Amino acid sequence: MKFLYSLLLIGLLCVRSFAQTGIAVPQMSNCDNLVNNFLTQFNIPGATFAMAKNGKLVYMRGFGEANLAGTENTQPYHMFRIASVSKPITAIAIMKLVQEGKLNLSDKVFGTGGRLASHPYLSTVVYSDVRINDITIQHLLEHTAGWNRDTDCVPFPNPPYTWSITHCDPIGFPLYVTQTLGETNPVREEVLIRFLMEKGLTFTPGTQYAYSNIGYLVLGEIIASVSGKSYEDYLKEDILAPLGIYDMYIGKNLLADKREREAEYYGNGYLAPSIYNTGQNVPWEYGGWNLEAMDAHGGWIATARDLVRLLVAVDGFNTKPDILNTASINTMTTPSTTNANYAKGWTVNSANNWWHTGALDGTASIWVRSSGGYTWAVILNKRIIDNTSNSFWSGLDNLPWNCIGQTTTWPTHDLFDFPSQNSSDFVFASQSTTSLQVSWTNGNGSKRVLVAREEGRVNAFPLDGEDYTANAAFGQGDNLGNGNFIVYNGDGNSVILTGLTEGKKYHFRLFDYNQSTTSGNHALYQLALSAQDSATTATNTSLEDLASLGIRFYPNPMSEKVHISLPSIQICSHIELHNMQGQLVRRVEVSDMEQDIFTGDLPAQIYLLSFFGEDGYLGSERLLKR
């Protein structure tokens, strides 16, 4: 792939109109046009595109359709499969471990003293090619470990596949692998590695370049072994979370298991035997491939924004702090001796640009760090494999460069200025049969919105750049769609909701946001890890109703404690005491029929004593503390 600096315009005649979402950037409207023209030319349903300049996120847009039904617009918050863009993510993790002294690039991987010598599965593999013992971490990063996927290593016939397999990349024939090795389905990462270990190497490690998906699976096993965590957990907890990145996960195989806010993928109509060995033929993009076993080489899903945020943290520029030092970045991006255009997880060129592309049925992606201070990610929910595929990839490559070339005035805002921590810990206190106090612990956003929905989980999201009007009377605030109403918008930690229906269950979700001059006064919401909970409004429960359940408590007024007597420990799971500001001051898990809640250290005022069973709220009564 060549990166071109020329201004290549892609078809100015648009025959299809694509929805455009996200914060509009007037200075970059030509970029919107370029994306629309590209999607039209190649009939791509949906895309997300994010770009940073000098460490600031200046552009973050969604285009087209996010679901197969064509009823959901792609938003910047949608996560997409990124395929082989996963490889440089794995490389970043390896370089972080090297920087911390936990690995060396020269470390051997297999055999006695190798990094996987104690691996519970791979250490038991019997292989005859002793050159495997010479493979190092650097060989794996640079695709020089000795496995050449372009060789033919599968004899025909190769059941259950009905076509001849002319390559040696076991991700493409997982059922043949499990059948040959007597393993269970769906295939696991280490089983794919075993298959190639038993086949042996095509060349001596370090002597040739041959792109290898399985080599990166081995790197994933090394990361897990060294960190003591799963590959995914190490990346999420030690690399991504410290950067405020939470919208990145290893994806799932099936449409039914997709993540909330994940896009859906348009294949090219080809079927393959299900990786679950059901005997059915299924689309490659949903069960033909085992995406979950591609983790370190092709399994990630991500938003374009979070990809760019990660890249800004390893770009070598001094605009925002990097998680890798200069020496580590230079090592990571220095070409190997066998391929002047591939380093360690990155394609590179003499202009000091680094990038990687990704492709699977249903997705295509590109991730770029340019020497001019620009970083970007473009992700699509379809790839082109016909005779226009070369033009497709060239157009995808050129699209952001043309965007840069056609932008003469750049915005000064930074759309990375979103909170890293959402509010949490809901507390509910009934005020009446139609009103409810909702309290929470604030996150680190300057403000937050509370979304409520009756009799169903909150399933709509605030949009970046949008300002919402809240109303504590349920149903009177802005509706995000599907009955998801904004009931609070502010910097506090409590609201009393009214207009509720007696005995109904209401679901709640909190989203922190920032809105400042840094963000260009755009509201930027944190959607990941948003607190969710539900509460059932009271029926006409009174002291007499609680007594009818056999629940008794005394004294009232109280001083040092309140004693609670229950007819059985099954009737009540826990008891809560709130002040009238909605703050939880005591919570007791029921373990005995006789319970004391000590109150001697609490201020003298009115409190609300609430009882909860396994099926929800039982009732409340006010107590006076003297």
Side-chain angles (χ1 to χ4, degrees):
M1 185 184 73
K2 297 179 180 178
F3 276 108
L4 304 180
Y5 291 90
S6 61
L7 303 183
L8 177 61
L9 302 183
I10 307 171
L12 295 177
L13 296 178
C14 230
V15 297
R16 181 178 177 186
S17 176
F18 287 88
Q20 300 172 57
T21 64
I23 295 170
V25 183
Q27 304 98 313
M28 301 179 69
S29 59
N30 282 335
C31 301
D32 296 345
N33 297 333
L34 288 166
V35 175
N36 277 318
N37 292 339
F38 174 80
L39 298 182
T40 297
Q41 180 179 356
F42 294 102
N43 194 29
I44 304 298
T48 58
F49 178 11
M51 176 179 285
K53 179 180 187 292
N54 297 328
K56 294 182 177 181
L57 186 64
V58 293
Y59 185 82
M60 179 175 61
R61 300 281 270 163
F63 300 84
E65 301 163 358
N67 66 342
L68 296 173
T71 58
E72 182 180 1
N73 290 338
T74 302
Q75 298 286 348
Y77 63 56
H78 275 108
M79 290 172 275
F80 285 68
R81 293 174 179 173
I82 62 173
S84 284
V85 167
S86 302
K87 291 182 175 67
I89 294 171
T90 298
I92 290 168
I94 289 287
M95 295 309 302
K96 187 77 159 55
L97 291 169
V98 170
Q99 182 174 288
E100 293 170 349
K102 298 175 182 176
L103 288 175
N104 291 300
L105 294 180
S106 59
D107 287 348
K108 299 291 180 61
V109 177
F110 300 105
T112 303
R115 281 293 178 174
L116 297 179
S118 299
H119 191 281
Y121 182 88
L122 295 176
S123 64
T124 68
V125 175
V126 178
Y127 51 92
S128 59
D129 192 336
V130 296
R131 295 178 298 175
I132 288 175
N133 295 332
D134 295 325
I135 295 173
T136 66
I137 291 174
Q138 183 164 341
H139 293 148
L140 295 169
L141 285 168
E142 295 178 344
H143 296 296
T144 62
W147 288 303
N148 185 350
R149 66 177 182 172
D150 293 329
T151 59
D152 183 353
C153 69
V154 179
F156 186 80
N158 36 247
Y161 302 100
T162 58
W163 56 87
S164 177
I165 297 170
T166 59
H167 63 86
C168 198
D169 192 341
I171 69 166
F173 44 85
L175 291 177
Y176 178 81
V177 171
T178 54
Q179 178 177 285
T180 301
L181 300 181
E183 295 281 357
T184 58
N185 293 299
V187 72
R188 305 186 312 278
E189 296 91 326
E190 59 265 32
V191 175
L192 295 170
I193 297 169
R194 172 190 168 189
F195 182 85
L196 285 194
M197 290 176 71
E198 293 186 358
K199 287 291 181 183
L201 301 181
T202 312
F203 57 86
T204 300
T207 62
Q208 297 179 41
Y209 168 90
Y211 191 86
S212 175
N213 288 315
I214 303 305
Y216 270 73
L217 288 189
V218 178
L219 290 171
E221 295 298 318
I222 293 170
I223 290 168
S225 177
V226 172
S227 69
K229 304 177 181 181
S230 72
Y231 164 78
E232 180 182 15
D233 283 348
Y234 174 76
L235 264 294
K236 290 198 300 188
E237 295 170 10
D238 293 59
I239 303 292
L240 303 176
L243 295 171
I245 294 174
Y246 302 107
D247 277 337
M248 290 180 64
Y249 304 89
I250 299 300
K252 297 295 184 181
N253 294 325
L254 303 179
L255 179 60
D257 297 328
K258 74 167 189 170
R259 282 264 175 193
E260 183 180 56
R261 293 187 290 111
E262 182 181 356
E264 297 175 6
Y265 308 101
Y266 291 74
N268 290 284
Y270 296 107
L271 303 178
S274 166
I275 60 168
Y276 298 94
N277 201 26
T278 62
Q280 297 174 306
N281 285 330
V282 298
W284 274 108
E285 65 275 14
Y286 283 119
W289 301 105
N290 188 352
L291 188 80
E292 294 166 34
M294 295 182 185
D295 55 12
H297 84 75
W300 284 96
I301 63 173
T303 62
R305 181 191 73 177
D306 276 0
L307 277 180
V308 175
R309 179 68 189 91
L310 177 57
L311 192 45
V312 165
V314 295
D315 61 9
F317 300 125
N318 60 6
T319 53
K320 278 188 170 67
D322 285 336
I323 60 172
L324 297 179
N325 60 34
T326 300
S328 296
I329 292 172
N330 288 342
T331 298
M332 182 174 68
T333 57
T334 297
S336 74
T337 57
T338 60
N339 185 342
N341 291 117
Y342 202 89
K344 296 163 186 66
W346 296 91
T347 307
V348 295
N349 66 11
S350 58
N352 195 25
N353 300 323
W354 331 324
W355 68 94
H356 214 290
T357 58
L360 282 171
D361 276 27
T363 192
S365 56
I366 188 167
W367 197 32
V368 181
R369 176 269 194 197
S370 76
S371 58
Y374 300 94
T375 50
W376 62 81
V378 185
I379 324 175
L380 317 176
N381 59 359
K382 183 180 178 181
R383 70 164 173 169
I384 302 302
I385 61 173
D386 62 18
N387 59 8
T388 66
S389 63
N390 288 340
S391 177
F392 164 78
W393 283 106
S394 177
L396 181 60
D397 177 1
N398 280 291
L399 194 157
W401 291 106
N402 291 334
C403 170
I404 293 169
Q406 293 188 23
T407 303
T408 56
T409 303
W410 290 88
T412 58
H413 60 231
D414 185 359
L415 303 182
F416 281 138
D417 187 34
F418 52 89
S420 60
Q421 180 182 341
N422 260 319
S423 298
S424 59
D425 302 326
F426 277 113
V427 173
F428 302 105
S430 289
Q431 303 296 296
S432 72
T433 59
T434 60
S435 64
L436 181 71
Q437 182 159 16
V438 184
S439 305
W440 55 85
T441 301
N442 285 342
N444 63 5
S446 60
K447 294 182 180 179
R448 55 214 47 87
V449 294
L450 177 65
V451 184
R453 188 171 185 234
E454 183 181 285
E455 299 293 350
R457 287 171 61 88
V458 172
N459 60 0
F461 305 93
L463 302 178
D464 288 333
E466 295 292 331
D467 297 315
Y468 294 99
T469 299
N471 195 316
F474 180 77
Q476 301 303 305
D478 282 347
N479 186 352
L480 299 181
N482 295 325
N484 294 275
F485 293 100
I486 305 289
V487 295
Y488 178 82
N489 185 348
D491 57 7
N493 69 338
S494 180
V495 62
I496 296 177
L497 304 183
T498 61
L500 308 178
T501 301
E502 180 180 331
K504 289 282 190 179
K505 177 176 280 190
Y506 290 84
H507 295 256
F508 300 93
R509 200 158 180 177
L510 274 164
F511 302 97
D512 276 48
Y513 69 95
N514 286 337
Q515 190 169 20
S516 66
T517 54
T518 301
S519 68
N521 207 36
H522 298 297
L524 301 176
Y525 297 89
Q526 175 59 269
L527 303 185
L529 305 181
S530 51
Q532 302 181 64
D533 209 339
S534 63
T536 302
T537 54
T539 56
N540 193 17
T541 305
S542 65
L543 185 59
E544 289 75 19
D545 296 318
L546 290 171
S548 71
L549 294 174
I551 298 173
R552 292 173 173 79
F553 46 90
Y554 58 86
N556 188 13
M558 61 184 174
S559 178
E560 295 300 314
K561 66 181 180 180
V562 58
H563 181 79
I564 297 159
S565 179
L566 303 171
S568 73
I569 62 172
Q570 284 75 33
I571 195 171
C572 182
S573 60
H574 69 277
I575 305 164
E576 295 180 357
L577 188 69
H578 298 83
N579 61 28
M580 298 314 291
Q581 290 74 48
Q583 296 169 320
L584 179 67
V585 295
R586 294 287 188 273
R587 177 185 169 104
V588 174
E589 301 296 328
V590 171
S591 58
D592 198 283
M593 292 166 60
E594 305 294 325
Q595 301 275 167
D596 286 327
I597 298 179
F598 293 93
T599 58
D601 61 331
L602 296 178
Q605 63 182 58
I606 295 175
Y607 292 88
L608 193 70
L609 183 67
S610 301
F611 296 83
F612 298 86
E614 293 297 335
D615 295 326
Y617 175 76
L618 297 174
S620 301
E621 183 61 30
R622 284 175 168 80
L623 296 179
L624 174 62
K625 165 69 189 300
R626 287 178 173 172

